[in-house]
Amino acid sequence: MLHMKAGVFTQVDKFEVQEWDKPAIEPGDVLIRVKAAAICGTDLRIFHGKKTKGVRMPSVIGHEVSGEVVETGADVTELSVGDRVCVDPVLPCGECAYCMNGMENVCQNRVAIGYEYDGCFAEYMRIPGKFIKRQNVQKVPDSVSWVGGALAEPLGCVINGQRKLNITPGDKVVVLGTGPIGLMHCMLAKASGAAKVFVSEPNEMRRNMASDYGADILVDPVNESLEEVVMANTGGLGADVVILAIGIPALANDALKIARKGGRVSMFAGFSKGDLPPVDVNIIHYNELVVTGSSSLQRKDLQTALALIESGAIDVDKLATHKFPMDKIEEAFAVAESGQALKVILEG
């Protein structure tokens, strides 16, 4: 059995680079050599024990991935050795009430790569046959980089979130938090016709970079009043759309306050279980706000993301500010949460 290097999640706050057997595949499976594996904010929450559902220890986590097919099972007809692929890591059952009503991303029986199945922080990754049969695996166009293929998944999550917000030409959009996801929200909002995109971000480096990703008005919430800036630039009405793209529930009221009457507010980011700040429900009530959440992505969102990346409408490659070899996973995670990086990529 050939061996591979894997960044193994052995306990909370600890990875170990280990020699593992290269995964054996069954007749319906494929094996990919990981080319780009991106670190997600959710991975950081898993690493610190703040997200536990479906997580095993020891295991290989990571779910934003592109790679080359190096082995196919005897029953696989959809893919061939040499294919460039990326993956929607969330597998819906296709049969529950949510799947039957267009909400496969919140399937009652969903399982996922990086959780129930070993993920991409390793040199090789097995993709089980049921992911292939349900078209969770998409071919990456030759003109799209490995990084672009890996970042199609988080862009798909952003597409899923913005679908619920119905951003239309001329809208004023506020994004709280300019991490990679927040910047993707800026780019997608602009591509959807937003007239003005505001960002609120205390980190000076990230805030200043946002102007390269579609942001028109940059706000330092430590030294400025976000509410005052938004009202001054919307005729005192407030924003059409507000997106909370950082997992700080205490900012929920800030998000609600700056939406216009009838505005749409997305609690997009993942939050730590049990963090329950007070919410001024009167703002929602009297201003007739539409407040929505967002969970993961649907398979169609991955296809849309790849099309946007291939066309050049959204440039995700420039989000990849740091790259590390797979055996430097602990260093990569430290950089990912330092506030000095956007997207950190582990390369195969």
PDB file of all heavy atoms in Angstrom, residues 293-313:
ATOM      1  N   GLY A 293     -31.185  33.238   6.865  1.00  0.00           N
ATOM      2  CA  GLY A 293     -29.903  32.580   7.096  1.00  0.00           C
ATOM      3  C   GLY A 293     -29.422  31.951   5.810  1.00  0.00           C
ATOM      4  O   GLY A 293     -30.040  32.093   4.745  1.00  0.00           O
ATOM      5  N   SER A 294     -28.310  31.248   5.889  1.00  0.00           N
ATOM      6  CA  SER A 294     -27.772  30.586   4.699  1.00  0.00           C
ATOM      7  C   SER A 294     -26.896  29.427   5.146  1.00  0.00           C
ATOM      8  O   SER A 294     -26.030  29.592   5.998  1.00  0.00           O
ATOM      9  CB  SER A 294     -26.958  31.569   3.858  1.00  0.00           C
ATOM     10  OG  SER A 294     -26.510  30.954   2.671  1.00  0.00           O
ATOM     11  N   SER A 295     -27.140  28.274   4.567  1.00  0.00           N
ATOM     12  CA  SER A 295     -26.379  27.081   4.938  1.00  0.00           C
ATOM     13  C   SER A 295     -25.810  26.422   3.697  1.00  0.00           C
ATOM     14  O   SER A 295     -26.564  26.000   2.808  1.00  0.00           O
ATOM     15  CB  SER A 295     -27.285  26.088   5.685  1.00  0.00           C
ATOM     16  OG  SER A 295     -26.572  24.918   6.018  1.00  0.00           O
ATOM     17  N   SER A 296     -24.507  26.380   3.607  1.00  0.00           N
ATOM     18  CA  SER A 296     -23.817  25.620   2.574  1.00  0.00           C
ATOM     19  C   SER A 296     -24.234  26.046   1.165  1.00  0.00           C
ATOM     20  O   SER A 296     -24.454  27.229   0.904  1.00  0.00           O
ATOM     21  CB  SER A 296     -24.057  24.118   2.816  1.00  0.00           C
ATOM     22  OG  SER A 296     -23.201  23.338   2.038  1.00  0.00           O
ATOM     23  N   LEU A 297     -24.338  25.094   0.258  1.00  0.00           N
ATOM     24  CA  LEU A 297     -24.649  25.382  -1.143  1.00  0.00           C
ATOM     25  C   LEU A 297     -25.430  24.227  -1.740  1.00  0.00           C
ATOM     26  O   LEU A 297     -25.508  23.145  -1.166  1.00  0.00           O
ATOM     27  CB  LEU A 297     -23.374  25.603  -1.967  1.00  0.00           C
ATOM     28  CG  LEU A 297     -22.528  24.382  -2.347  1.00  0.00           C
ATOM     29  CD1 LEU A 297     -21.570  24.745  -3.481  1.00  0.00           C
ATOM     30  CD2 LEU A 297     -21.744  23.807  -1.179  1.00  0.00           C
ATOM     31  N   GLN A 298     -26.001  24.461  -2.885  1.00  0.00           N
ATOM     32  CA  GLN A 298     -26.633  23.413  -3.668  1.00  0.00           C
ATOM     33  C   GLN A 298     -25.737  23.077  -4.851  1.00  0.00           C
ATOM     34  O   GLN A 298     -24.874  23.877  -5.246  1.00  0.00           O
ATOM     35  CB  GLN A 298     -28.025  23.842  -4.130  1.00  0.00           C
ATOM     36  CG  GLN A 298     -28.966  24.158  -2.978  1.00  0.00           C
ATOM     37  CD  GLN A 298     -30.405  24.367  -3.426  1.00  0.00           C
ATOM     38  OE1 GLN A 298     -30.797  24.001  -4.533  1.00  0.00           O
ATOM     39  NE2 GLN A 298     -31.199  24.963  -2.554  1.00  0.00           N
ATOM     40  N   ARG A 299     -25.978  21.908  -5.440  1.00  0.00           N
ATOM     41  CA  ARG A 299     -25.101  21.484  -6.536  1.00  0.00           C
ATOM     42  C   ARG A 299     -25.125  22.475  -7.696  1.00  0.00           C
ATOM     43  O   ARG A 299     -24.093  22.743  -8.317  1.00  0.00           O
ATOM     44  CB  ARG A 299     -25.510  20.084  -7.005  1.00  0.00           C
ATOM     45  CG  ARG A 299     -25.190  18.985  -5.982  1.00  0.00           C
ATOM     46  CD  ARG A 299     -25.896  17.685  -6.311  1.00  0.00           C
ATOM     47  NE  ARG A 299     -27.347  17.830  -6.135  1.00  0.00           N
ATOM     48  CZ  ARG A 299     -28.222  16.878  -6.453  1.00  0.00           C
ATOM     49  NH1 ARG A 299     -27.796  15.742  -6.972  1.00  0.00           N
ATOM     50  NH2 ARG A 299     -29.500  17.077  -6.259  1.00  0.00           N
ATOM     51  N   LYS A 300     -26.277  23.062  -7.957  1.00  0.00           N
ATOM     52  CA  LYS A 300     -26.364  24.035  -9.048  1.00  0.00           C
ATOM     53  C   LYS A 300     -25.512  25.264  -8.769  1.00  0.00           C
ATOM     54  O   LYS A 300     -25.046  25.932  -9.698  1.00  0.00           O
ATOM     55  CB  LYS A 300     -27.818  24.432  -9.292  1.00  0.00           C
ATOM     56  CG  LYS A 300     -28.493  25.149  -8.118  1.00  0.00           C
ATOM     57  CD  LYS A 300     -29.962  25.422  -8.407  1.00  0.00           C
ATOM     58  CE  LYS A 300     -30.655  26.109  -7.238  1.00  0.00           C
ATOM     59  NZ  LYS A 300     -32.096  26.340  -7.516  1.00  0.00           N
ATOM     60  N   ASP A 301     -25.296  25.575  -7.491  1.00  0.00           N
ATOM     61  CA  ASP A 301     -24.484  26.744  -7.140  1.00  0.00           C
ATOM     62  C   ASP A 301     -23.022  26.529  -7.500  1.00  0.00           C
ATOM     63  O   ASP A 301     -22.315  27.486  -7.865  1.00  0.00           O
ATOM     64  CB  ASP A 301     -24.623  27.060  -5.649  1.00  0.00           C
ATOM     65  CG  ASP A 301     -26.056  27.376  -5.252  1.00  0.00           C
ATOM     66  OD1 ASP A 301     -26.759  28.021  -6.047  1.00  0.00           O
ATOM     67  OD2 ASP A 301     -26.467  26.960  -4.154  1.00  0.00           O
ATOM     68  N   LEU A 302     -22.558  25.296  -7.382  1.00  0.00           N
ATOM     69  CA  LEU A 302     -21.178  25.000  -7.776  1.00  0.00           C
ATOM     70  C   LEU A 302     -21.021  25.192  -9.282  1.00  0.00           C
ATOM     71  O   LEU A 302     -20.016  25.746  -9.749  1.00  0.00           O
ATOM     72  CB  LEU A 302     -20.800  23.571  -7.375  1.00  0.00           C
ATOM     73  CG  LEU A 302     -19.336  23.186  -7.599  1.00  0.00           C
ATOM     74  CD1 LEU A 302     -18.418  23.994  -6.704  1.00  0.00           C
ATOM     75  CD2 LEU A 302     -19.121  21.689  -7.354  1.00  0.00           C
ATOM     76  N   GLN A 303     -22.009  24.756 -10.056  1.00  0.00           N
ATOM     77  CA  GLN A 303     -21.965  24.958 -11.505  1.00  0.00           C
ATOM     78  C   GLN A 303     -21.950  26.443 -11.849  1.00  0.00           C
ATOM     79  O   GLN A 303     -21.177  26.876 -12.712  1.00  0.00           O
ATOM     80  CB  GLN A 303     -23.173  24.279 -12.152  1.00  0.00           C
ATOM     81  CG  GLN A 303     -23.167  22.760 -12.047  1.00  0.00           C
ATOM     82  CD  GLN A 303     -24.429  22.136 -12.627  1.00  0.00           C
ATOM     83  OE1 GLN A 303     -25.514  22.708 -12.559  1.00  0.00           O
ATOM     84  NE2 GLN A 303     -24.290  20.966 -13.212  1.00  0.00           N
ATOM     85  N   THR A 304     -22.795  27.217 -11.168  1.00  0.00           N
ATOM     86  CA  THR A 304     -22.838  28.661 -11.411  1.00  0.00           C
ATOM     87  C   THR A 304     -21.508  29.314 -11.057  1.00  0.00           C
ATOM     88  O   THR A 304     -21.003  30.174 -11.786  1.00  0.00           O
ATOM     89  CB  THR A 304     -23.975  29.312 -10.604  1.00  0.00           C
ATOM     90  OG1 THR A 304     -25.219  28.709 -10.975  1.00  0.00           O
ATOM     91  CG2 THR A 304     -24.043  30.809 -10.847  1.00  0.00           C
ATOM     92  N   ALA A 305     -20.938  28.897  -9.930  1.00  0.00           N
ATOM     93  CA  ALA A 305     -19.654  29.467  -9.502  1.00  0.00           C
ATOM     94  C   ALA A 305     -18.569  29.208 -10.539  1.00  0.00           C
ATOM     95  O   ALA A 305     -17.798  30.119 -10.898  1.00  0.00           O
ATOM     96  CB  ALA A 305     -19.253  28.882  -8.149  1.00  0.00           C
ATOM     97  N   LEU A 306     -18.495  27.996 -11.041  1.00  0.00           N
ATOM     98  CA  LEU A 306     -17.487  27.674 -12.054  1.00  0.00           C
ATOM     99  C   LEU A 306     -17.695  28.510 -13.315  1.00  0.00           C
ATOM    100  O   LEU A 306     -16.731  28.979 -13.928  1.00  0.00           O
ATOM    101  CB  LEU A 306     -17.537  26.182 -12.402  1.00  0.00           C
ATOM    102  CG  LEU A 306     -16.918  25.227 -11.376  1.00  0.00           C
ATOM    103  CD1 LEU A 306     -17.255  23.780 -11.724  1.00  0.00           C
ATOM    104  CD2 LEU A 306     -15.395  25.414 -11.308  1.00  0.00           C
ATOM    105  N   ALA A 307     -18.955  28.716 -13.696  1.00  0.00           N
ATOM    106  CA  ALA A 307     -19.238  29.518 -14.890  1.00  0.00           C
ATOM    107  C   ALA A 307     -18.800  30.967 -14.686  1.00  0.00           C
ATOM    108  O   ALA A 307     -18.230  31.590 -15.597  1.00  0.00           O
ATOM    109  CB  ALA A 307     -20.726  29.454 -15.214  1.00  0.00           C
ATOM    110  N   LEU A 308     -19.048  31.528 -13.497  1.00  0.00           N
ATOM    111  CA  LEU A 308     -18.645  32.910 -13.212  1.00  0.00           C
ATOM    112  C   LEU A 308     -17.128  33.047 -13.188  1.00  0.00           C
ATOM    113  O   LEU A 308     -16.575  34.046 -13.658  1.00  0.00           O
ATOM    114  CB  LEU A 308     -19.237  33.358 -11.876  1.00  0.00           C
ATOM    115  CG  LEU A 308     -20.748  33.607 -11.854  1.00  0.00           C
ATOM    116  CD1 LEU A 308     -21.230  33.818 -10.420  1.00  0.00           C
ATOM    117  CD2 LEU A 308     -21.110  34.812 -12.722  1.00  0.00           C
ATOM    118  N   ILE A 309     -16.449  32.047 -12.621  1.00  0.00           N
ATOM    119  CA  ILE A 309     -14.985  32.087 -12.569  1.00  0.00           C
ATOM    120  C   ILE A 309     -14.400  31.938 -13.971  1.00  0.00           C
ATOM    121  O   ILE A 309     -13.497  32.680 -14.369  1.00  0.00           O
ATOM    122  CB  ILE A 309     -14.453  30.989 -11.624  1.00  0.00           C
ATOM    123  CG1 ILE A 309     -14.889  31.270 -10.181  1.00  0.00           C
ATOM    124  CG2 ILE A 309     -12.932  30.913 -11.711  1.00  0.00           C
ATOM    125  CD1 ILE A 309     -14.663  30.096  -9.240  1.00  0.00           C
ATOM    126  N   GLU A 310     -14.936  30.995 -14.739  1.00  0.00           N
ATOM    127  CA  GLU A 310     -14.422  30.762 -16.098  1.00  0.00           C
ATOM    128  C   GLU A 310     -14.606  31.999 -16.979  1.00  0.00           C
ATOM    129  O   GLU A 310     -13.730  32.346 -17.782  1.00  0.00           O
ATOM    130  CB  GLU A 310     -15.127  29.566 -16.730  1.00  0.00           C
ATOM    131  CG  GLU A 310     -14.598  29.215 -18.114  1.00  0.00           C
ATOM    132  CD  GLU A 310     -15.338  28.063 -18.770  1.00  0.00           C
ATOM    133  OE1 GLU A 310     -16.485  27.771 -18.365  1.00  0.00           O
ATOM    134  OE2 GLU A 310     -14.780  27.453 -19.701  1.00  0.00           O
ATOM    135  N   SER A 311     -15.723  32.690 -16.828  1.00  0.00           N
ATOM    136  CA  SER A 311     -16.017  33.857 -17.664  1.00  0.00           C
ATOM    137  C   SER A 311     -15.183  35.074 -17.289  1.00  0.00           C
ATOM    138  O   SER A 311     -15.104  36.034 -18.062  1.00  0.00           O
ATOM    139  CB  SER A 311     -17.498  34.219 -17.547  1.00  0.00           C
ATOM    140  OG  SER A 311     -17.784  34.788 -16.276  1.00  0.00           O
ATOM    141  N   GLY A 312     -14.607  35.060 -16.095  1.00  0.00           N
ATOM    142  CA  GLY A 312     -13.868  36.217 -15.610  1.00  0.00           C
ATOM    143  C   GLY A 312     -14.736  37.223 -14.875  1.00  0.00           C
ATOM    144  O   GLY A 312     -14.248  38.264 -14.434  1.00  0.00           O
ATOM    145  N   ALA A 313     -16.029  36.925 -14.732  1.00  0.00           N
ATOM    146  CA  ALA A 313     -16.929  37.844 -14.028  1.00  0.00           C
ATOM    147  C   ALA A 313     -16.530  38.000 -12.567  1.00  0.00           C
ATOM    148  O   ALA A 313     -16.715  39.071 -11.979  1.00  0.00           O
ATOM    149  CB  ALA A 313     -18.371  37.348 -14.135  1.00  0.00           C
TER     150      ALA A 313
END
